[in-house]
């Protein structure tokens, strides 16, 4: 065997390995077809819709839960179907559902990327909190409900647990699903109640991030055979009106999936957050239920930045001159003035703007900002 033949065989071998790896990752979506939810192995996707193999029809199984579908049919049985692309079907985006039906509480995390931690000027370790809102499809609108919102975006990797997790060892004996997610938030309502003296409590995060339409996901749930080696090298990006504003790799996260899981289990059902004026916990049952979503934080490049020391000092002096005889808090005055400044500058999302979020191999989310 000469050198050229050896190189050719090596290239062919590596190409075959790549093909095997790609076949051992399921990219599953849910779409409405003839009034039923069908599970689709997605081959191509766009803003207009998805194209793929209708596994529900091919395997005669109409379970509407992706993990239950995999368990009933078998992972290897589905993999065997992936080479048959002769019967691809197309589904319009309007018929594509979120890949799962979420639990009430999503595990969310703040400042889990170095650049985002720096731009928000937070000095502590990542912080967990619950996000409580319904999922919306990958192509959907996000609504401004008034003229006092500071609507901000955060692209995130979403992780879905296929089994209950009572202890960290339970994490390693299960399949995990991965999705793209956008965590929208109203920075104005967050700023009004945020406790700068105790950032570890994430005061105001749950309410400000749990409005209707603030959680688009999908369109696919990617289920690798070995999740531990799959996700860390993927890239994560977000475009605002075709301008790339967020760009990083998942390996940049301070806390990886096992660490996020472990820290969530430590918090359990402790009611340390407030939602709609009522105390809530991160894990209502004290453990992570199957089907729970964890969103793993956002890279740098969001719209929000905290007020500068100069702004705070100037407004505090003005407060002292104007309101020193009134029973009002200077901190509340400074925050109110900062929100007014941000609203005037119109830096946050405005009606008609477009958001496109992406995690490598997991697809795209398309959002348009609308006014109600």
């Amino acid at each position: 065997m000469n050198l050229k033949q050896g190189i050719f065989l090596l290239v062919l071998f590596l190409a075959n390995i790549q093909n095997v790896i790609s076949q051992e990752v399921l990219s599953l979506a849910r779409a409405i077809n003839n009034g039923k939810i069908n599970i689709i192995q997605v081959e191509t996707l766009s803003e207009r819709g998805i194209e793929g193999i209708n596994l529900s029809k091919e395997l005669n199984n109409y379970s509407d839960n992706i993990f239950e579908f995999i368990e009933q049919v078998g992972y290897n049985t589905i993999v065997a179907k992936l080479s048959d692309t002769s019967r691809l079907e197309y589904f319009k985006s309007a018929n594509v559902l979120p890949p799962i039906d979420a639990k009430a509480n999503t595990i969310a995390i703040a400042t889990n990327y170095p650049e985002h931690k720096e731009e928000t000027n937070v000095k502590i370790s990542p912080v967990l909190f619950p996000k409580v809102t319904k999922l919306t499809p990958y192509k959907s609108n996000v609504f401004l409900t008034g003229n006092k919102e500071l609507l901000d975006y955060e692209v995130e990797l979403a992780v879905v647990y296929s089994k209950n997790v009572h202890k960290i060892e339970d994490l390693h004996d299960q399949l995990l699903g991965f999705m793209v997610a956008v965590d929208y938030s109203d920075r104005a309502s967050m700023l009004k109640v945020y406790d700068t003296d105790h950032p570890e409590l994430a005061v105001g995060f749950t309410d400000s991030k749990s409005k209707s339409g603030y959680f688009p996901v999908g369109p696919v749930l990617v289920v690798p055979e070995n999740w531990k080696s799959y996700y860390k090298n993927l890239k994560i990006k977000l475009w605002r009106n075709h301008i790339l504003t967020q760009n990083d790799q998942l390996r940049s996260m301070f806390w990886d999936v096992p660490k996020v899981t472990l820290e969530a289990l430590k918090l359990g059902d402790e009611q340390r957050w407030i939602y709609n004026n009522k105390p809530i916990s991160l894990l209502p049952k004290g453990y992570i239920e199957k089907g729970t979503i964890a969103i793993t934080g956002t890279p740098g490049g969001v719209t929000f930045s905290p007020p500068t020391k100069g702004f705070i000092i100037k407004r505090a002096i003005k407060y002292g001159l104007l309101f020193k005889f009134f029973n009002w808090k200077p901190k509340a005055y400074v925050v109110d003035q900062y929100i007014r400044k941000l609203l005037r500058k119109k830096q946050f999302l405005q009606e008609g703007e477009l958001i496109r979020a992406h995690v490598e191999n997991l697809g795209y989310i398309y959002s348009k900002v609308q006014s109600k």
Side-chain angles (χ1 to χ4, degrees):
M1 180 187 299
N2 59 35
L3 181 60
K4 288 185 178 180
Q5 288 174 325
I7 292 174
F8 173 78
L9 290 175
L10 178 61
V11 171
L12 183 62
F13 174 72
L14 292 175
N16 287 334
I17 290 177
Q18 182 60 42
N19 187 45
V20 170
I21 291 173
S22 65
Q23 286 187 349
E24 291 177 352
V25 175
L26 305 182
S27 299
L28 305 176
R30 301 193 306 168
I32 297 293
N33 183 42
N34 295 325
K36 290 183 178 179
I37 296 177
N38 285 217
I39 307 296
I40 313 300
Q41 167 67 24
V42 178
E43 298 295 323
T44 61
L45 63 89
S46 70
E47 188 175 358
R48 294 183 177 182
I50 64 172
E51 186 177 42
I53 302 168
N54 190 334
L55 293 173
S56 295
K57 184 189 298 184
E58 294 286 332
L59 298 170
N60 194 29
N61 185 301
Y62 288 90
S63 172
D64 61 3
N65 181 292
I66 285 177
F67 285 124
E68 290 179 3
F69 182 88
I70 294 172
E71 185 175 353
Q72 292 168 11
V73 174
Y75 195 100
N76 292 333
T77 301
I78 299 174
V79 169
K81 281 286 181 183
L82 302 191
S83 59
D84 181 11
T85 59
S86 61
R87 293 191 292 276
L88 295 181
E89 294 186 31
Y90 181 78
F91 300 87
K92 294 180 180 179
S93 60
N95 293 326
V96 179
L97 305 173
I100 67 165
D101 296 317
K103 298 292 181 184
N105 287 10
T106 290
I107 300 167
I109 185 169
T111 59
N112 198 28
Y113 285 78
E115 288 187 2
H116 183 54
K117 181 175 181 177
E118 183 178 348
E119 71 184 354
T120 52
N121 197 28
V122 175
K123 307 299 183 185
I124 62 171
S125 300
V127 175
L128 294 176
F129 61 93
K131 182 180 175 80
V132 186
T133 190
K134 292 182 179 180
L135 305 180
T136 54
Y138 83 106
K139 184 184 178 184
S140 55
N141 296 327
V142 56
F143 290 98
L144 293 165
T145 56
N147 58 3
K148 294 184 178 180
E149 290 171 286
L150 297 172
L151 182 61
D152 207 353
Y153 54 79
E154 295 181 353
V155 59
E156 307 205 16
L157 171 73
V159 181
V160 187
Y161 299 88
S162 65
K163 297 180 181 178
N164 294 336
V165 181
H166 295 270
K167 56 187 184 303
I168 193 61
E169 289 76 15
D170 297 334
L171 174 66
H172 303 293
D173 187 29
Q174 63 174 283
L175 295 173
L176 291 185
F178 298 99
M179 304 184 293
V180 191
V182 177
D183 178 21
Y184 286 109
S185 58
D186 173 19
R187 301 291 187 183
S189 62
M190 181 188 296
L191 279 168
K192 289 176 182 177
V193 296
Y194 182 63
D195 188 349
T196 54
D197 296 327
H198 298 283
E200 74 281 359
L201 299 178
V203 177
F205 279 54
T206 298
D207 277 317
S208 69
K209 292 174 173 286
S210 298
K211 296 183 180 182
S212 178
Y214 274 23
F215 201 9
V217 299
V220 297
L221 183 70
V222 173
V223 186
E225 194 168 43
N226 183 356
W227 61 265
K228 301 177 189 70
S229 61
Y230 179 77
Y231 70 97
K232 288 188 178 181
N233 291 324
L234 302 181
K235 298 175 182 177
I236 182 169
K237 299 181 179 183
L238 182 140
W239 292 261
R240 178 180 179 177
N241 299 323
H242 311 296
I243 297 173
L244 182 64
T245 59
Q246 294 189 274
N247 185 13
D248 210 327
Q249 291 186 320
L250 298 180
R251 69 173 67 174
S252 298
M253 293 189 292
F254 290 118
W255 291 359
D256 61 7
V257 172
K259 178 65 171 176
V260 170
T261 304
L262 179 62
E263 295 300 322
L265 289 172
K266 288 179 181 178
L267 293 167
D269 60 358
E270 178 186 349
Q271 293 186 327
R272 61 185 296 179
W273 298 272
I274 300 296
Y275 175 60
N276 284 341
N277 297 316
K278 295 180 180 179
I280 66 168
S281 61
L282 186 65
L283 307 177
K285 293 186 177 180
Y287 61 88
I288 300 172
E289 298 180 74
K290 64 180 180 179
T292 296
I293 299 171
I295 50 176
T296 54
T298 198
V302 301
T303 309
F304 176 76
S305 60
T308 63
K309 289 183 179 179
F311 180 91
I312 295 172
I313 292 171
K314 287 180 180 178
R315 295 308 184 276
I317 292 173
K318 183 177 180 181
Y319 169 84
L321 294 173
L322 296 178
F323 303 106
K324 62 182 178 180
F325 299 112
F326 294 88
N327 186 22
W328 202 26
K329 298 179 180 178
K331 182 179 176 180
Y333 175 76
V334 171
V335 169
D336 180 71
Q337 292 297 302
Y338 189 56
I339 291 173
R340 289 171 181 264
K341 175 187 175 181
L342 294 176
L343 288 169
R344 287 194 302 270
K345 295 180 74 173
K346 295 186 177 181
Q347 291 179 326
F348 287 79
L349 290 173
Q350 305 294 311
E351 183 177 9
E353 290 201 77
L354 302 173
I355 291 294
R356 181 164 58 101
H358 174 60
V359 176
E360 187 179 9
N361 296 345
L362 307 187
Y364 290 84
I365 287 174
Y366 305 89
S367 293
K368 185 173 183 179
V369 182
Q370 300 278 32
S371 291
K372 275 191 175 182

